[in-house]
Amino acid sequence: MNETNIDFTNLPDERGHFGQFGGRFVSETLFYALDELQSMYDRLKNDPAFLAEIDKDLTHYVGRPSPLYFAERWTEKVGGARLFLKREDLNHTGAHKVNNTIGQALLAKYSGKKRVIAETGAGQHGVATATVAARLGLECVVYMGSEDVKRQSLNVYRMKLLGATVVPVESGSKTLKDAMNEAMRDWVTNVDNTFYIIGTAAGPHPYPQLVRDFQCIIGREARRQCLEQTGRLPDALVACVGGGSNAIGLFHPFLQDTSVAMYGVEAGGLGLDTGRHAAPLNRGVPGVLHGNRTYLMEDENGQISETHSVSAGLDYPGVGPEHSWLKDIGRVKYVSITDDEAMAAFRSLTRVEGIMPALESSHAVAYGEKLAAQLSKDDIIIVNLSGRGDKDIHTVAKIDGIEV
Amino acid sequence: MNRIEKKIRQLKEQNRKALATYIVNGDPTPDITLAAMHVLVEAGVDILEIGVPFSDPMAEGPVIQRGHERALVHGTSLRDTLQLVKAFRQTNTDTPIVLMGYANPIERMGYAAFADAAADAGVDGLLTVDLPPEEADDLHKLLKQRGVETIFLLAPTSSEARIKRVSELAGGFIYYVSLKGVTGASHLDIGSVKDKLSVISRYSQLPVMVGFGIKDALSAQAVSSYADGVVVGSALVDIMGSGHSQAQILENLSAKAKSIRVALDQR
């Protein structure tokens, strides 16, 4: 990484663009709602009372700060750089998703809207949304592809226990992208009384910005904790990228620290050359979907491709627009890890550290191992452990041929 | 003069309202759409809107979503749709054609290549649901240079500032989305349509067509009192997806279009 004078932190511009990416590609009906959301957020984002309320919730409800944990045995086993885990898996509801839903639910409360909707893939964002909705007494409807409803029955039941209505989506490929289409359709129809809580740093402006801002708590804490524990900044950061909210949350507070290398890990599925993966930054092209311009997986006619990953949370054909921009300017390197490599990392971390990572996070763990092996013992790597693996037990057991 | 403008001017002189219809290219099979277009024109349709199939038609209700899915089973593409228009123009040179779809297939083809091909095929207007004025500048310019109009949506939630802005850029006609919702929804409120159209007419000289939620002769007639015309989509796509024989589908399509034509002319 060359020294540079670029300010990586002053985007998006006022129209929501990160270079050529981002923007607001939605039908006319939603403009008013996006304008309203943006002006409310612009007003609140520096309001001490609003920020104090989020802080209070993050501390006492979510359980932050999450630890930065030096994984000593794992480091020894890999035999390279020192590996630290940012423990987002220890948050209430078990993943980083809640950092964002706390913030957006508070915006919903300030907006006076009594109904929130969300899309979900693996169900983590759905659970995090249902959780904050229960706490604020808001009506909650979660859209989930019918394929995912089948694959993630545990999370579906959790959402129902929390009082949410889970709507299985039967259109298209019946997965996350279709759930997002359906949530948009609901929003267009119920725009007067409904707040749409988007789960990742994608979608029309201002969502990529506000989701990033809410997730930046990860990187702010990690930066401070690393300085406290080691007296210096890390040499590299590693995070998995589906839509990319945990990654942008970790990366963003370090973007101006040009000595810190960053690696976003996409889902390589069965291998990039098989076409059965979810790695738009590695193999996609820029296009328009779900309200923003970004790298997408699509065919030669511009139809969005179906994706594959062992982890439902990474199984998405697009990616947040800021990642597309960070790729093109070269600030972050985007790599990929296959299903098999992620599964091996899941088992390895579980056995060596007693920490069971989510299959999404296992992609970051796997790349962290590869990278650490290439670096020296003096180097420091922070791997974002974005969520815990309990939700994936059924998937792992199935691969092992065990019925649980 | 662009065919859209010419057609609406003619209708105004006759004190008639415009009937625009929407079907998806390739729905349910690639071989029916050309015939369906001619059938609709014979039944009295003034403007043909042709849906370009897309894998993620975010603004559509269930009926039109299924239409896109049926068309994609056979891989019907934007290029196929431009070919369709070219074929239609061999025997019909005066019915305006508007392509309606989503940004990504056009992004993939490339704006300049698309603008050239659209003009060459005989397309008169383009309505891209997810390409609002804020993001449409580049494509708009390329189309304008080639005589293809960019048609924009206005909605019940559009502020006066946005109405003004859209009016400055829009060509052909304004497509007013009659309700907060997706295509084919059923909560049309004529009173609120009337109010909004009077605001729009303060900023725009363009004709205003009203769509979303207009499914039969009665709703078409009611809305047309305040607009220059109506767009009927889901009611026809429903017929296309009925599973009947091709002959039967075309017969039902014709009957539906005629019933609305008659209602519009009897106001």
Side-chain angles (χ1 to χ4, degrees), chain A residues 13-17 19-36 38 204-206 288 291-293, chain B residues 103 107 111 128-141 150-155 157-170:
Chain A
D13 65 19
E14 60 179 17
R15 286 168 58 211
H17 290 186
Q20 66 158 317
F21 301 105
R24 235 183 222 180
F25 295 82
V26 295
S27 72
E28 176 65 24
T29 313
L30 289 178
F31 258 82
Y32 141 91
L34 292 168
D35 277 342
E36 191 183 69
Q38 190 182 354
H205 179 62
V288 171
N292 60 141
R293 182 179 279 123
Chain B
E107 294 256 326
Y111 285 176
T128 313
V129 179
D130 55 351
L131 205 60
E134 282 78 357
E135 306 286 356
D137 272 357
D138 298 344
L139 182 58
H140 177 256
K141 274 186 204 125
T150 307
I151 291 157
F152 288 102
L153 299 170
L154 283 173
T157 53
S158 302
S159 64
E160 288 204 30
R162 282 194 66 78
I163 292 174
K164 188 160 175 274
R165 177 162 196 184
V166 166
S167 301
E168 284 161 8
L169 268 184

Side-chain angles (χ1 to χ4, degrees), chain B residues 106-128:
Chain B
I106 299 173
E107 294 256 326
R108 180 68 190 216
M109 190 168 170
Y111 285 176
F114 169 75
D116 283 343
D120 175 59
V123 171
D124 302 289
L126 176 74
L127 197 173
T128 313

